[in-house]
Amino acid sequence: MLRKNVKNLNEDALYLAENLVNVSVAAGSKWQKVLAKSLNVGTDMLERQQDLALNTVETVAKQVSTGNKRIRKLIQVDPQFKIKWPGKKITTPSIKGKVKAAVKKTTGSATIDMKNLKTITGVGPKIESMLNEFGIKTIEQLAKADLKDLRRILDKAGPRFKMHNPALWKKQANLVLKGQQN
């Protein structure tokens, strides 16, 4: 009788454990769906907030640079101050040095993946996908791309991409190509 009771208790415990696992898996699945939705909505909201912040900064910068005395007084800007907004010419010696060092490393047996645009400094997954949509899928195509087209791609993507300088990408791509040819 004692064995029968122990056997029944053991079966009940296994049944409850199995049910607990099934309920936990179902709840986990529901939480994954909720998390995926919140991530999608969250990234969209973050992009909108960044765009709004950049638009606000650009507007204030334009007002300050055009001489609005009230704005200058509010944010305490020297009247002689002129804003130099990033854009046309940005030279970054540290990036050049890193690219040259990377190219020197490729002269041995290691090579750079010419289809991975993210090896170029400043090109992340988002910009790589935008370039791919435009038909630029290799470092060689990036080196040969028209600078105006690259700027149009960034402008189309929104204000938070205006800080990027595609001229540097082209220079880096050309350096990589030279390293591959040597």
Side-chain angles (χ1 to χ4, degrees), residues 94-105:
S94 61
I95 291 175
K96 272 187 179 177
K98 287 178 185 176
V99 171
K100 285 182 180 177
V103 169
K104 285 180 184 176
K105 287 181 185 177

Side-chain angles (χ1 to χ4, degrees), residues 3-4 15 26 30 43 65 77 93 104 107 109 113 121 126 129 170-171 173 180:
R3 279 188 171 189
K4 189 175 182 182
Y15 175 76
K30 287 180 183 178
T43 51
S65 64
V77 174
K104 285 180 184 176
T107 58
S109 61
D113 180 9
T121 304
K126 179 73 174 174
S129 69
K170 286 180 61 75
K171 286 180 185 176
Q180 291 292 320

Side-chain angles (χ1 to χ4, degrees), residues 32 45 125 161:
Q32 278 183 325
M45 200 159 42
F161 291 98

